[in-house]
Every structure is written in C-alpha cells, then in structure tokens.
Amino acid sequence: MSALTGGPPPSATVYVRNLEEHIKIPQLKEALTELFSEYGEIIDIIAKTNLKAKGQAFIVFDSIESAQKAIEEVQGFELFDKPMQLAFARTRSDASVKRTGDEDEFESHKRRRLAEKDKKKAAEAAEEQKRLKRAAPGVVPDVNARPAKASRGAGLKSTNAGAAAVIPDEYLPPNKILFVQNLPEEYDIDALTAIFGRFEGFREVRLVPGRRGIAFIEYETETGAISAKENTAGMALGDGSQVMKVTYQRQ
C-alpha cells in the first residue's frame, strides 16, 4: 500500500523531499545513510546539486518492505530542522533494475527513463515560453533568480511519534557493547581480538552468522567500550582502503 493516498505503487525506492538545500551533498548523503540504514540495506542514495533537484533525494533499498517501513516511520522526521516528506518513487531506480534484472532489461529501462526525461524537459520548455509570453510587457522574469537563503539548522529533531525512536548511530548513548561495521571479509575473531582485546574489560568478539563485515565487541563496563570506540573508530584496515566504523550497539 502506498504511503500517500493516490500515490505511486510500492517500490524499493523512497522519494524524499523538503530537504535542506544548502547542505553539501556528501554531508547530506551521510546523514541520510545514518538515518535510513536502520530500515534495511541501502543500495544507493541519489542526491543532485542542480537547482531543480535540490532539496530532494532518492533512497534505494534492497526490498519494498524496507522502503515501506522507512516511509511509515520517518515521515515528518526533521533533518537539519526541516521535516522530510516521503513517498514511493514513481519509477524504479537504475540501481534497483540493475540489481534484479539482466543487462537487456537494464538497458531498456534506461532508454525509457531518458526518453521520459527528454519529454519532460520539452514540456517544461514549452510551458516556460507560454509563461514568458503572458508576462507583462517590458517585464522579463529572472528564471535564474536564486531563492532566499533559508536558515541552516544542525542535527536531527523528530516531530513524528513513530520516528522519535530512530536515532542515528553516532548519537546512541554509550553501553558495554560495540557494533563494528565495514570489516574486511578475512577478519575473524582472532584479528578483531588483537584490535579490541587491548582495552580494559574486554570480554569477547561475536560474529554474525551469514553476515560478513560486521561484529559485536563486548566489554565488562561502559568505560572499556568508550575507550575502545574512541581509539578504533575510523581505523583503516586491510590494505588501508576500508575504514572501520565503530558505534555503540542499539538497545
């Protein structure tokens, strides 16, 4: 069922609008990743800098169920002091089609998308010409005028009861268990013990069966976990290309 009455049919891609337009794209993508990764695996996040696409983004999940849950729970959540408006995307994303279909299906999808894009551009250009003709004589609208600069907020604040419990990883309160992500596939219990076992109160490393690249590290007290997190978060592993992410376990 679509999150909005009469809206697009369910898909694995969530359309997000009313985002703060003055936040840089890398910072925006990082914030969106932190927030939406709680609901499922994210395949891609699309956010662009051109004027018409500002304030919008697409979150591509690995399943429709994840997208549905994200829409239901994050609707109205304030990101950088602006309440987000969410809905299913009207079309499937390139990343979603490429992941689930073969090469021919992907190429066909891409051709249709580009054709629709060209058609939309042509319609917008025709409408703009009509608007200019209707303008008062001697008055030429400035189509390149920039909107007034909005005040920039910082951080996250929820106005939605369902979203209130969703806290990005970096804001989770300390506890005795660390959640470690982005580990090289070859890292086992011994390798992780060598990294985390040197901090006070170390108890054990727990790997997740069937899930590579993540682990839980438990300490006897929060003090040990805090020390370990502060000294290992952002550590480069393997050949240096993978940066380990260390946060507290979500309670």
Side-chain angles (χ1 to χ4, degrees):
M1 185 176 88
S2 175
L4 299 176
T5 303
S11 72
T13 303
V14 176
Y15 170 55
V16 186
R17 65 190 182 100
N18 199 40
L19 294 168
E20 170 56 61
E21 297 181 3
H22 302 288
I23 298 296
K24 292 182 179 179
I25 294 299
Q27 183 182 357
L28 177 62
K29 282 189 173 183
E30 182 179 358
L32 290 172
T33 299
E34 291 288 348
L35 181 60
F36 284 94
S37 59
E38 172 71 15
Y39 301 98
E41 181 182 351
I42 294 176
I43 305 303
D44 195 13
I45 292 182
I46 301 101
K48 298 180 180 179
T49 57
N50 64 72
L51 190 60
K52 286 189 176 181
K54 276 189 173 183
Q56 306 172 62
F58 293 89
I59 317 295
V60 186
F61 285 98
D62 66 340
S63 70
I64 293 177
E65 290 75 19
S66 294
Q68 176 76 63
K69 187 176 180 183
I71 290 174
E72 290 174 351
E73 297 194 15
V74 185
Q75 190 73 261
F77 195 96
E78 288 194 9
L79 181 65
F80 300 109
D81 284 348
K82 294 190 70 174
M84 292 182 288
Q85 298 174 17
L86 281 66
F88 288 112
R90 294 186 179 278
T91 59
R92 297 172 67 195
S93 69
D94 286 358
S96 180
V97 175
K98 194 170 186 178
R99 186 170 185 268
T100 58
D102 56 25
E103 187 173 343
D104 290 340
E105 183 181 355
F106 174 66
E107 289 300 324
S108 176
H109 162 80
K110 192 162 66 171
R111 285 194 297 270
R112 287 196 303 272
R113 178 176 60 76
L114 293 175
E116 285 295 324
K117 185 177 181 180
D118 290 341
K119 183 178 178 181
K120 184 178 179 181
K121 281 184 177 179
E124 289 175 348
E127 187 61 32
E128 180 64 16
Q129 287 297 320
K130 291 180 182 178
R131 189 178 70 82
L132 290 174
K133 287 180 180 179
R134 291 195 299 266
V139 178
V140 180
D142 183 3
V143 296
N144 295 313
R146 298 183 65 180
K149 187 173 182 180
S151 59
R152 180 178 301 181
L156 308 169
K157 183 172 63 177
S158 174
T159 56
N160 180 288
V166 182
I167 304 174
D169 289 347
E170 67 267 27
Y171 298 118
L172 291 172
N175 62 73
K176 296 185 290 185
I177 301 176
L178 300 177
F179 178 43
V180 184
Q181 303 174 70
N182 202 35
L183 296 169
E185 290 188 2
E186 67 271 16
Y187 269 54
D188 56 13
I189 290 178
D190 290 339
L192 292 172
T193 298
I195 296 173
F196 292 95
R198 54 197 176 95
F199 298 99
E200 180 183 356
F202 171 78
R203 293 189 64 180
E204 64 175 347
V205 172
R206 296 198 300 272
L207 301 180
V208 181
R211 292 288 302 277
R212 296 182 178 181
I214 63 174
F216 293 93
I217 316 295
E218 185 173 354
Y219 289 86
E220 293 178 356
T221 65
E222 287 184 3
T223 303
I226 292 171
S227 178
K229 179 180 181 297
E230 290 178 348
N231 286 279
T232 60
M235 179 183 292
L237 302 177
D239 59 2
S241 62
Q242 285 186 248
V243 176
M244 179 169 61
K245 180 178 179 180
V246 184
T247 60
Y248 297 109
Q249 180 189 32
R250 194 173 291 274
Q251 298 294 298

